Short mmCIF file of all heavy atoms in Angstrom, two decimals:
data_model
loop_
_atom_site.label_atom_id
_atom_site.label_comp_id
_atom_site.label_asym_id
_atom_site.label_seq_id
_atom_site.Cartn_x
_atom_site.Cartn_y
_atom_site.Cartn_z
N ASP A 1 39.97 -2.02 23.18
CA ASP A 1 41.07 -1.11 22.88
C ASP A 1 40.51 0.28 22.58
O ASP A 1 39.71 0.45 21.65
CB ASP A 1 41.86 -1.63 21.68
CG ASP A 1 43.06 -0.74 21.37
OD1 ASP A 1 42.87 0.27 20.66
OD2 ASP A 1 44.17 -1.05 21.83
N SER A 2 40.92 1.27 23.36
CA SER A 2 40.36 2.61 23.22
C SER A 2 40.63 3.22 21.85
O SER A 2 39.75 3.86 21.27
CB SER A 2 40.91 3.53 24.32
OG SER A 2 40.55 3.06 25.59
N GLU A 3 41.85 3.05 21.35
CA GLU A 3 42.18 3.59 20.04
C GLU A 3 41.29 2.96 18.97
O GLU A 3 40.76 3.65 18.10
CB GLU A 3 43.65 3.33 19.72
CG GLU A 3 44.64 4.24 20.43
CD GLU A 3 44.70 5.63 19.82
OE1 GLU A 3 44.23 5.81 18.68
OE2 GLU A 3 45.21 6.53 20.50
N ALA A 4 41.16 1.64 19.02
CA ALA A 4 40.36 0.95 18.02
C ALA A 4 38.88 1.34 18.13
O ALA A 4 38.19 1.52 17.12
CB ALA A 4 40.52 -0.56 18.17
N ALA A 5 38.39 1.45 19.36
CA ALA A 5 36.99 1.81 19.56
C ALA A 5 36.70 3.21 19.05
O ALA A 5 35.69 3.45 18.36
CB ALA A 5 36.64 1.71 21.05
N LEU A 6 37.61 4.14 19.36
CA LEU A 6 37.41 5.52 18.90
C LEU A 6 37.55 5.62 17.39
O LEU A 6 36.83 6.37 16.73
CB LEU A 6 38.40 6.45 19.60
CG LEU A 6 38.23 7.95 19.28
CD1 LEU A 6 36.82 8.42 19.60
CD2 LEU A 6 39.27 8.77 20.06
N SER A 7 38.47 4.83 16.83
CA SER A 7 38.62 4.82 15.37
C SER A 7 37.33 4.35 14.71
O SER A 7 36.90 4.90 13.69
CB SER A 7 39.78 3.89 14.96
OG SER A 7 41.02 4.42 15.38
N GLY A 8 36.70 3.33 15.30
CA GLY A 8 35.44 2.84 14.76
C GLY A 8 34.35 3.89 14.84
O GLY A 8 33.57 4.07 13.90
N THR A 9 34.30 4.60 15.95
CA THR A 9 33.30 5.65 16.12
C THR A 9 33.57 6.81 15.16
O THR A 9 32.64 7.40 14.61
CB THR A 9 33.29 6.16 17.57
OG1 THR A 9 32.91 5.08 18.43
CG2 THR A 9 32.29 7.30 17.75
N ASN A 10 34.84 7.15 14.97
CA ASN A 10 35.20 8.20 14.01
C ASN A 10 34.68 7.86 12.62
O ASN A 10 34.11 8.71 11.93
CB ASN A 10 36.72 8.37 13.95
CG ASN A 10 37.28 9.04 15.18
OD1 ASN A 10 36.55 9.66 15.95
ND2 ASN A 10 38.57 8.90 15.39
N GLU A 11 34.88 6.61 12.20
CA GLU A 11 34.45 6.19 10.87
C GLU A 11 32.92 6.17 10.80
O GLU A 11 32.34 6.53 9.76
CB GLU A 11 35.01 4.81 10.54
CG GLU A 11 34.60 4.26 9.19
CD GLU A 11 34.93 5.19 8.04
OE1 GLU A 11 35.89 5.99 8.16
OE2 GLU A 11 34.22 5.14 7.00
N LYS A 12 32.27 5.77 11.88
CA LYS A 12 30.80 5.77 11.90
C LYS A 12 30.27 7.19 11.76
O LYS A 12 29.31 7.43 11.01
CB LYS A 12 30.32 5.14 13.21
CG LYS A 12 28.81 5.06 13.35
CD LYS A 12 28.42 4.18 14.53
CE LYS A 12 28.95 4.71 15.84
NZ LYS A 12 28.52 3.89 17.00
N PHE A 13 30.91 8.12 12.46
CA PHE A 13 30.50 9.53 12.37
C PHE A 13 30.70 10.05 10.95
O PHE A 13 29.82 10.71 10.38
CB PHE A 13 31.30 10.37 13.36
CG PHE A 13 30.95 11.84 13.34
CD1 PHE A 13 29.91 12.33 14.11
CD2 PHE A 13 31.66 12.74 12.53
CE1 PHE A 13 29.57 13.69 14.09
CE2 PHE A 13 31.33 14.08 12.50
CZ PHE A 13 30.27 14.56 13.28
N ARG A 14 31.86 9.73 10.36
CA ARG A 14 32.14 10.18 8.99
C ARG A 14 31.11 9.64 8.01
O ARG A 14 30.61 10.37 7.15
CB ARG A 14 33.55 9.73 8.57
CG ARG A 14 33.99 10.25 7.20
CD ARG A 14 34.94 9.31 6.51
NE ARG A 14 34.34 8.01 6.26
CZ ARG A 14 33.49 7.78 5.25
NH1 ARG A 14 33.14 8.74 4.41
NH2 ARG A 14 32.98 6.55 5.08
N SER A 15 30.80 8.35 8.15
CA SER A 15 29.87 7.71 7.23
C SER A 15 28.47 8.32 7.35
O SER A 15 27.81 8.59 6.33
CB SER A 15 29.82 6.21 7.53
OG SER A 15 28.88 5.57 6.71
N ARG A 16 28.01 8.55 8.57
CA ARG A 16 26.68 9.11 8.77
C ARG A 16 26.61 10.56 8.29
O ARG A 16 25.60 10.99 7.71
CB ARG A 16 26.28 9.02 10.24
CG ARG A 16 25.99 7.60 10.70
CD ARG A 16 25.68 7.53 12.17
NE ARG A 16 25.39 6.15 12.59
CZ ARG A 16 25.19 5.78 13.84
NH1 ARG A 16 25.25 6.68 14.83
NH2 ARG A 16 24.93 4.52 14.13
N PHE A 17 27.68 11.31 8.52
CA PHE A 17 27.69 12.69 8.08
C PHE A 17 27.69 12.77 6.55
O PHE A 17 27.07 13.64 5.95
CB PHE A 17 28.91 13.42 8.65
CG PHE A 17 28.81 14.92 8.54
CD1 PHE A 17 28.11 15.65 9.47
CD2 PHE A 17 29.41 15.60 7.48
CE1 PHE A 17 27.99 17.04 9.37
CE2 PHE A 17 29.31 16.97 7.36
CZ PHE A 17 28.60 17.70 8.31
N HIS A 18 28.38 11.80 5.93
CA HIS A 18 28.39 11.74 4.46
C HIS A 18 26.99 11.43 3.94
O HIS A 18 26.59 11.95 2.88
CB HIS A 18 29.38 10.68 3.99
CG HIS A 18 29.58 10.65 2.51
ND1 HIS A 18 29.95 11.75 1.77
CD2 HIS A 18 29.43 9.64 1.61
CE1 HIS A 18 30.03 11.43 0.49
NE2 HIS A 18 29.71 10.16 0.36
N TYR A 19 26.26 10.61 4.66
CA TYR A 19 24.86 10.31 4.30
C TYR A 19 24.06 11.60 4.31
O TYR A 19 23.27 11.87 3.38
CB TYR A 19 24.27 9.30 5.28
CG TYR A 19 22.83 8.95 5.04
CD1 TYR A 19 22.48 7.81 4.33
CD2 TYR A 19 21.80 9.76 5.52
CE1 TYR A 19 21.14 7.48 4.11
CE2 TYR A 19 20.47 9.46 5.31
CZ TYR A 19 20.14 8.31 4.60
OH TYR A 19 18.82 7.99 4.38
N VAL A 20 24.24 12.41 5.36
CA VAL A 20 23.54 13.68 5.47
C VAL A 20 23.90 14.58 4.29
O VAL A 20 23.02 15.19 3.65
CB VAL A 20 23.89 14.39 6.80
CG1 VAL A 20 23.32 15.80 6.83
CG2 VAL A 20 23.37 13.58 7.98
N GLU A 21 25.18 14.64 3.98
CA GLU A 21 25.66 15.47 2.88
C GLU A 21 25.04 15.04 1.55
O GLU A 21 24.57 15.87 0.76
CB GLU A 21 27.19 15.37 2.81
CG GLU A 21 27.84 16.20 1.72
CD GLU A 21 29.34 16.01 1.69
OE1 GLU A 21 29.83 15.01 2.27
OE2 GLU A 21 30.03 16.86 1.10
N GLN A 22 25.05 13.72 1.29
CA GLN A 22 24.50 13.22 0.03
C GLN A 22 22.99 13.46 -0.06
O GLN A 22 22.46 13.80 -1.12
CB GLN A 22 24.80 11.73 -0.11
CG GLN A 22 26.26 11.41 -0.39
CD GLN A 22 26.48 9.92 -0.60
OE1 GLN A 22 26.01 9.10 0.20
NE2 GLN A 22 27.19 9.56 -1.65
N ALA A 23 22.30 13.27 1.06
CA ALA A 23 20.84 13.47 1.06
C ALA A 23 20.51 14.93 0.78
O ALA A 23 19.55 15.23 0.06
CB ALA A 23 20.26 13.04 2.41
N LEU A 24 21.28 15.84 1.34
CA LEU A 24 21.05 17.26 1.09
C LEU A 24 21.32 17.60 -0.37
O LEU A 24 20.55 18.34 -1.01
CB LEU A 24 21.94 18.11 2.00
CG LEU A 24 21.54 18.17 3.48
CD1 LEU A 24 22.64 18.82 4.30
CD2 LEU A 24 20.22 18.94 3.64
N GLN A 25 22.40 17.07 -0.92
CA GLN A 25 22.71 17.32 -2.32
C GLN A 25 21.61 16.79 -3.24
O GLN A 25 21.27 17.43 -4.23
CB GLN A 25 24.06 16.68 -2.67
CG GLN A 25 25.26 17.38 -2.04
CD GLN A 25 26.56 16.66 -2.33
OE1 GLN A 25 26.58 15.53 -2.80
NE2 GLN A 25 27.68 17.32 -2.03
N ALA A 26 21.07 15.63 -2.90
CA ALA A 26 20.02 15.03 -3.73
C ALA A 26 18.75 15.88 -3.75
O ALA A 26 17.99 15.85 -4.73
CB ALA A 26 19.69 13.63 -3.21
N SER A 27 18.53 16.65 -2.68
CA SER A 27 17.35 17.52 -2.61
C SER A 27 17.66 18.96 -3.00
O SER A 27 16.84 19.85 -2.82
CB SER A 27 16.76 17.49 -1.20
OG SER A 27 17.71 17.98 -0.25
N GLY A 28 18.88 19.16 -3.53
CA GLY A 28 19.24 20.49 -4.00
C GLY A 28 19.71 21.43 -2.92
O GLY A 28 19.74 22.66 -3.12
N HIS A 29 20.07 20.91 -1.76
CA HIS A 29 20.55 21.74 -0.66
C HIS A 29 22.04 21.49 -0.42
O HIS A 29 22.63 20.58 -0.99
CB HIS A 29 19.76 21.43 0.62
CG HIS A 29 18.33 21.83 0.56
ND1 HIS A 29 17.38 21.11 -0.13
CD2 HIS A 29 17.67 22.90 1.09
CE1 HIS A 29 16.20 21.69 -0.01
NE2 HIS A 29 16.34 22.79 0.73
N THR A 30 22.62 22.32 0.43
CA THR A 30 24.03 22.16 0.81
C THR A 30 24.15 22.13 2.32
O THR A 30 23.24 22.56 3.05
CB THR A 30 24.88 23.33 0.28
OG1 THR A 30 24.45 24.56 0.90
CG2 THR A 30 24.78 23.45 -1.24
N LEU A 31 25.29 21.63 2.79
CA LEU A 31 25.54 21.60 4.23
C LEU A 31 25.51 23.01 4.83
O LEU A 31 25.00 23.22 5.93
CB LEU A 31 26.91 20.96 4.50
CG LEU A 31 27.03 19.45 4.31
CD1 LEU A 31 28.49 19.03 4.35
CD2 LEU A 31 26.23 18.71 5.38
N GLU A 32 26.07 23.96 4.08
CA GLU A 32 26.19 25.32 4.60
C GLU A 32 24.83 25.99 4.81
O GLU A 32 24.65 26.79 5.73
CB GLU A 32 27.03 26.17 3.64
CG GLU A 32 28.51 25.80 3.58
CD GLU A 32 28.78 24.54 2.78
OE1 GLU A 32 27.86 24.08 2.06
OE2 GLU A 32 29.90 24.01 2.87
N LYS A 33 23.83 25.64 3.94
CA LYS A 33 22.53 26.30 4.02
C LYS A 33 21.48 25.49 4.78
O LYS A 33 20.39 26.00 5.06
CB LYS A 33 22.03 26.59 2.60
CG LYS A 33 22.89 27.62 1.87
CD LYS A 33 22.31 27.93 0.50
CE LYS A 33 23.16 28.99 -0.21
NZ LYS A 33 22.62 29.32 -1.56
N ALA A 34 21.80 24.25 5.11
CA ALA A 34 20.83 23.41 5.84
C ALA A 34 20.73 23.86 7.29
O ALA A 34 21.71 24.32 7.90
CB ALA A 34 21.26 21.95 5.76
N THR A 35 19.54 23.72 7.87
CA THR A 35 19.37 24.03 9.29
C THR A 35 19.80 22.83 10.13
O THR A 35 19.91 21.70 9.64
CB THR A 35 17.90 24.36 9.60
OG1 THR A 35 17.11 23.17 9.40
CG2 THR A 35 17.39 25.48 8.69
N LEU A 36 20.04 23.08 11.40
CA LEU A 36 20.42 22.00 12.30
C LEU A 36 19.31 20.95 12.39
O LEU A 36 19.60 19.75 12.44
CB LEU A 36 20.73 22.56 13.70
CG LEU A 36 21.13 21.54 14.76
CD1 LEU A 36 22.37 20.76 14.31
CD2 LEU A 36 21.37 22.22 16.10
N ASP A 37 18.06 21.39 12.39
CA ASP A 37 16.94 20.45 12.45
C ASP A 37 16.92 19.54 11.23
O ASP A 37 16.64 18.33 11.33
CB ASP A 37 15.61 21.20 12.56
CG ASP A 37 15.40 21.81 13.94
OD1 ASP A 37 16.09 21.37 14.88
OD2 ASP A 37 14.56 22.73 14.07
N GLU A 38 17.18 20.13 10.05
CA GLU A 38 17.21 19.33 8.82
C GLU A 38 18.32 18.29 8.87
O GLU A 38 18.13 17.12 8.51
CB GLU A 38 17.41 20.24 7.61
CG GLU A 38 16.20 21.10 7.27
CD GLU A 38 16.49 22.10 6.17
OE1 GLU A 38 17.66 22.55 6.07
OE2 GLU A 38 15.56 22.46 5.42
N MET A 39 19.51 18.73 9.32
CA MET A 39 20.64 17.80 9.41
C MET A 39 20.38 16.72 10.45
O MET A 39 20.74 15.56 10.26
CB MET A 39 21.93 18.56 9.71
CG MET A 39 22.43 19.38 8.53
SD MET A 39 24.12 20.02 8.76
CE MET A 39 23.79 21.36 9.91
N GLU A 40 19.74 17.08 11.56
CA GLU A 40 19.45 16.10 12.62
C GLU A 40 18.48 15.04 12.12
O GLU A 40 18.62 13.85 12.43
CB GLU A 40 18.90 16.80 13.85
CG GLU A 40 18.46 15.87 14.98
CD GLU A 40 19.59 15.01 15.53
OE1 GLU A 40 20.78 15.43 15.42
OE2 GLU A 40 19.31 13.91 16.06
N ALA A 41 17.46 15.46 11.34
CA ALA A 41 16.49 14.51 10.81
C ALA A 41 17.17 13.51 9.87
O ALA A 41 16.91 12.30 9.93
CB ALA A 41 15.38 15.26 10.07
N LEU A 42 18.07 14.02 9.03
CA LEU A 42 18.81 13.15 8.12
C LEU A 42 19.79 12.26 8.89
O LEU A 42 20.04 11.11 8.51
CB LEU A 42 19.55 13.98 7.07
CG LEU A 42 18.64 14.70 6.06
CD1 LEU A 42 19.45 15.67 5.22
CD2 LEU A 42 17.93 13.68 5.17
N TRP A 43 20.34 12.80 9.97
CA TRP A 43 21.25 12.01 10.82
C TRP A 43 20.52 10.79 11.39
O TRP A 43 21.08 9.69 11.43
CB TRP A 43 21.80 12.88 11.94
CG TRP A 43 22.78 12.17 12.84
CD1 TRP A 43 22.48 11.49 13.98
CD2 TRP A 43 24.19 12.06 12.65
NE1 TRP A 43 23.62 10.97 14.54
CE2 TRP A 43 24.69 11.30 13.74
CE3 TRP A 43 25.07 12.52 11.68
CZ2 TRP A 43 26.05 10.99 13.87
CZ3 TRP A 43 26.43 12.22 11.82
CH2 TRP A 43 26.89 11.47 12.90
N GLN A 44 19.30 11.00 11.84
CA GLN A 44 18.52 9.89 12.38
C GLN A 44 18.22 8.87 11.29
O GLN A 44 18.20 7.65 11.54
CB GLN A 44 17.22 10.41 13.00
CG GLN A 44 17.43 11.28 14.23
CD GLN A 44 18.19 10.56 15.35
OE1 GLN A 44 17.99 9.35 15.58
NE2 GLN A 44 19.07 11.28 16.02
N GLN A 45 18.00 9.33 10.06
CA GLN A 45 17.81 8.42 8.93
C GLN A 45 19.07 7.58 8.71
O GLN A 45 18.98 6.38 8.45
CB GLN A 45 17.48 9.20 7.65
CG GLN A 45 16.11 9.82 7.62
CD GLN A 45 15.85 10.54 6.30
OE1 GLN A 45 16.49 10.25 5.30
NE2 GLN A 45 14.93 11.49 6.32
N ALA A 46 20.20 8.25 8.80
CA ALA A 46 21.49 7.55 8.60
C ALA A 46 21.67 6.47 9.67
O ALA A 46 22.14 5.36 9.37
CB ALA A 46 22.64 8.54 8.66
N LYS A 47 21.30 6.77 10.90
CA LYS A 47 21.43 5.79 11.99
C LYS A 47 20.52 4.59 11.74
O LYS A 47 20.90 3.45 12.00
CB LYS A 47 21.06 6.44 13.33
CG LYS A 47 22.09 7.41 13.85
CD LYS A 47 21.66 8.01 15.19
CE LYS A 47 21.58 6.97 16.27
NZ LYS A 47 21.25 7.59 17.59
N ASN A 48 19.32 4.85 11.24
CA ASN A 48 18.37 3.76 11.00
C ASN A 48 18.66 2.97 9.74
O ASN A 48 18.15 1.88 9.53
CB ASN A 48 16.95 4.32 10.95
CG ASN A 48 16.51 4.92 12.27
OD1 ASN A 48 16.93 4.44 13.34
ND2 ASN A 48 15.67 5.95 12.22
#
């Protein structure tokens, strides 16, 4: 079901992005000031 599949992916994206957000906060950084490379590295951590 396309709706269900996309809903699952939406939630997966939200959850991983929240991981990035929390990891940045824990290191004293914010989403607004983080570089794309920093966020991508944390994104890969979230996936793993």
Side-chain angles (χ1 to χ4, degrees):
D1 182 276
S2 298
E3 283 284 343
L6 184 56
S7 293
T9 297
N10 288 342
E11 179 55 27
K12 181 169 61 177
F13 180 87
R14 185 209 61 78
S15 177
R16 289 177 179 174
F17 195 82
H18 187 55
Y19 178 97
V20 172
E21 181 182 17
Q22 288 183 312
L24 286 169
Q25 289 176 347
S27 61
H29 293 76
T30 64
L31 287 169
E32 291 76 13
K33 294 183 178 180
T35 66
L36 179 58
D37 287 342
E38 289 173 330
M39 288 191 285
E40 176 61 25
L42 292 171
W43 181 269
Q44 294 302 322
Q45 289 181 23
K47 287 180 65 177
N48 296 327

